[in-house]
Amino acid sequence: MKISKQKQFKNFILGFLTELSFNAFIIIGSLILIFIVLKLSK
Amino acid sequence: MILRPTLNDIKIIGFYLSKIMIGIAIAMIVPFFVSIIYKEWNPCLDYLIGIFFSLSLAFIVNFLCYTKKKLLFKNALIITSLSWLVAMFLSAIPLFFSNHFYSYLDACFETMSGFATTGLSLACDLDHLAMGHNMWRHFIMFIGGQGIVIGVLLVIGKTTGALGMYIGEAREEKILPNILGTAKFIWIVSIFYVALSSIFLWISFCKGGLKWDLSLFHSIWIAMAGWDTGGFGPQSQNILFYHNFWAEVIIIVTMLTGAINFALHYVVWNGTKKEIYKNIEIKIFVMTIFFTFFITLIGLIKMADYNNTLILFRKGFFHLISAHTGTGYGTLYATQFSKNWTQLATYGLIIAMGIGGCACSTTGGIKTLRIGIILKVFYQQIKTTISSDMSIFISKIHHIKNLILDDAMAKNALLITFCYFIIYFLGTIVGMFYNYSFIDSLFESTSAAANVGLSCGITTPSMPCLLKIIYIFEMWAGRLEFVSIFAFIGFFVALIKGKK
């Protein structure tokens, strides 16, 4: 099945944003972990 | 019965090696032009000598080994392992002439570290290295990240026997039906992310006060080495030189994206977005990041020097991601790991370095896919043991598609993991032989073998020659993931002991 150029571009943008959200999840998760461990250690 | 390789086998290997030599000569044109732009005439001459020597050797080998015979799988693996050594020796020529390396061995160490995307450096006075030479260091890292042989094949458009070379360079997954298409996709993803990361880094460096042209080159080099999880930097202080929070965040994103499987990039970019949440290696990657960061964090909080969220993020999390993705970028001086950090924090980094990122990416180490398979095998074994009847359990893993975990897959994962442990400890023992402490030796050896590049201070130009050679071997074997190294050793055994 041939996919149109427009659909391909949309898939690429959404895929790229998904990868960015994965990065954001790890960075925000690490900040939350630091915050929790710092709070518990005091 | 082991058969002795024939003259034809040797001719095929030589013929393809000559193509690699030509490829290296072509690649040297890039730093040559950078040297011309910056009017660095001595480096210009270094690259002319390098190009002349590489081409001369290529023509001699091509003349002696010219053949039209088809490339066989077994020969392809040997070509791959030899190509990396040939590339190391030829690429070291201009760097050796730069006078920033004590010996030719040091220059070879630098180029193997570059090609294997490790990032350990033996350059003296790095801060005054010519722009052309810095371009070359980072460019070989970019070529090595995607694969030397695959890069050359892409340029010359050769497809016969490409599968063997592709597997030999530790890429097991065929993303597209043909290898050339797969290699093309790998280069497209890499260029896209390097360009994007370069633009953001350029802005942040310019805002940080660097001159625009210097910012441009620094951002391109750091984006190339960050994406390829290499870790070379144009300054001896590495990322610490910039004192730039936003640059550090951009580098973290670049390193994390570079550690993702190319096959996963392909499916996510083609509409299967949910794959990133279902894939076993991503799940294990996330779990091991948080697990090893937790260990490192506890260790860092115990030492009380880092007492707020921002500093723990910039010093702790940055190094953890740098270690886990096999990059080796640092915002600390090398000796601070052994002198300031607690042992617990350092062990957290060592575990992260040993595990590495996803398979079929630019990272080194055991890889999270193998860790996932091994954990599944353990789980399956425990279930079988505690079940009252003689039930047989079938385990499945989700990696791009649902796969049944079979014995061959488990055996392969366990064998490669075992090989990694052997080379981690080989370097540790040799380090301890030269009176370095156990933890420092383990840190440096794991860093070399898992192609990370973080250093606790052992890697210096004055370190023993044997240790340099062991680390070169570790970087080479770790990057190629042993298959082509086994073929290489087997080839020489067959040459000596094989039957005609």
Side-chain angles (χ1 to χ4, degrees), chain B residues 232-274:
Chain B
F232 271 162
Q235 299 291 331
S236 56
Q237 289 177 320
N238 209 264
I239 304 303
L240 178 66
F241 172 79
Y242 305 100
H243 290 284
N244 190 325
F245 172 72
W246 289 110
E248 286 164 25
V249 173
I250 297 162
I251 293 166
I252 288 175
V253 173
T254 311
M255 294 190 289
L256 277 171
T257 323
I260 295 176
N261 193 320
F262 281 110
L264 191 66
H265 281 295
Y266 183 78
V267 291
V268 171
W269 282 19
N270 280 285
T272 321
K273 296 178 290 297
K274 283 184 181 162

Side-chain angles (χ1 to χ4, degrees), chain A:
Chain A
M1 193 178 69
K2 200 142 173 75
I3 306 167
S4 68
K5 287 271 175 208
Q6 202 180 2
K7 175 92 177 155
Q8 267 182 354
F9 185 69
K10 192 182 155 199
N11 280 340
F12 158 69
I13 293 293
L14 288 175
F16 170 64
L17 290 175
T18 308
E19 288 179 357
L20 280 189
S21 66
F22 164 71
N23 281 297
F25 167 72
I26 290 182
I27 291 171
I28 294 166
S30 76
L31 287 169
I32 293 169
L33 187 64
I34 295 170
F35 187 74
I36 292 169
V37 176
L38 263 179
K39 279 273 171 210
L40 290 176
S41 68
K42 276 174 186 168

Side-chain angles (χ1 to χ4, degrees), chain B residues 36-107:
Chain B
I36 289 178
I37 292 168
Y38 278 88
K39 296 177 182 162
E40 297 169 333
W41 306 121
N42 281 339
C44 265
L45 200 63
D46 298 340
Y47 287 98
L48 280 181
I49 295 169
I51 292 167
F52 175 75
F53 189 80
S54 304
L55 286 180
S56 309
L57 195 64
F59 287 128
I60 294 167
V61 175
N62 193 290
F63 176 73
L64 293 174
C65 301
Y66 185 79
T67 180
K68 281 186 176 172
K69 287 255 160 53
K70 263 182 97 175
L71 177 63
L72 301 172
F73 186 80
K74 59 171 185 172
N75 292 336
L77 290 176
I78 297 154
I79 291 165
T80 306
S81 53
L82 274 172
S83 297
W84 283 67
L85 295 179
V86 167
M88 173 187 80
F89 287 121
L90 293 178
S91 309
I93 295 169
L95 289 183
F96 175 59
F97 286 129
S98 71
N99 283 332
H100 283 264
F101 295 90
Y102 281 159
S103 63
Y104 185 64
L105 179 65
D106 286 15

Side-chain angles (χ1 to χ4, degrees), chain B residues 38 41 60 145 152 159 208 228 307 313 348 358 414 432:
Chain B
Y38 278 88
W41 306 121
I60 294 167
V152 172
T159 50
D228 278 306
N307 51 10
F313 179 81
C358 300
L414 283 164
M432 285 164 72

Side-chain angles (χ1 to χ4, degrees), chain B residues 82-319:
Chain B
L82 274 172
S83 297
W84 283 67
L85 295 179
V86 167
M88 173 187 80
F89 287 121
L90 293 178
S91 309
I93 295 169
L95 289 183
F96 175 59
F97 286 129
S98 71
N99 283 332
H100 283 264
F101 295 90
Y102 281 159
S103 63
Y104 185 64
L105 179 65
D106 286 15
C108 286
F109 184 98
E110 191 81 3
T111 49
M112 182 52 89
S113 177
F115 279 123
T117 70
T118 307
L120 290 170
S121 179
L122 288 182
C124 305
D125 193 18
L126 184 62
D127 299 327
H128 297 102
L129 192 67
M131 295 291 278
H133 289 312
N134 253 326
M135 184 75 217
W136 185 227
R137 289 171 72 238
H138 291 86
F139 193 55
I140 58 176
M141 195 162 252
F142 191 57
I143 298 170
Q146 276 62 256
I148 301 172
V149 183
I150 286 299
V152 172
L153 285 175
L154 201 62
V155 173
I156 62 174
K158 201 94 182 166
T159 50
T160 22
L163 180 64
M165 297 188 194
Y166 181 75
I167 292 170
E169 286 194 325
R171 301 253 190 269
E172 289 164 19
E173 290 165 53
K174 273 171 80 180
I175 301 165
L176 289 161
N178 74 59
I179 294 301
L180 230 50
T182 302
K184 218 179 264 181
F185 177 77
I186 288 174
W187 277 86
I188 289 170
V189 180
S190 303
I191 290 167
F192 170 75
Y193 271 112
V194 167
L196 201 68
S197 174
S198 299
I199 293 167
F200 284 107
L201 281 173
W202 189 23
I203 296 166
S204 70
F205 289 159
C206 282
K207 287 198 92 173
L210 267 184
K211 269 169 51 185
W212 76 268
D213 62 327
L214 208 59
S215 296
L216 178 68
F217 276 106
H218 278 221
S219 60
I220 293 170
W221 294 336
I222 287 170
M224 284 202 293
W227 163 261
D228 278 306
T229 62
F232 271 162
Q235 299 291 331
S236 56
Q237 289 177 320
N238 209 264
I239 304 303
L240 178 66
F241 172 79
Y242 305 100
H243 290 284
N244 190 325
F245 172 72
W246 289 110
E248 286 164 25
V249 173
I250 297 162
I251 293 166
I252 288 175
V253 173
T254 311
M255 294 190 289
L256 277 171
T257 323
I260 295 176
N261 193 320
F262 281 110
L264 191 66
H265 281 295
Y266 183 78
V267 291
V268 171
W269 282 19
N270 280 285
T272 321
K273 296 178 290 297
K274 283 184 181 162
E275 180 62 33
I276 206 159
Y277 309 111
K278 290 194 290 184
N279 196 296
I280 184 170
E281 59 178 343
I282 291 293
K283 282 181 186 171
I284 299 288
F285 191 38
V286 173
M287 279 196 282
T288 52
I289 283 176
F290 287 121
F291 171 68
T292 50
F293 183 49
F294 182 69
I295 296 172
T296 310
L297 197 55
I298 299 286
L300 292 179
I301 287 173
K302 268 179 76 180
M303 73 188 225
D305 281 1
Y306 305 150
N307 51 10
N308 67 58
T309 309
L310 190 66
I311 198 92
L312 282 165
F313 179 81
R314 292 183 71 176
K315 302 295 173 192
F317 185 68
F318 183 90
H319 282 104

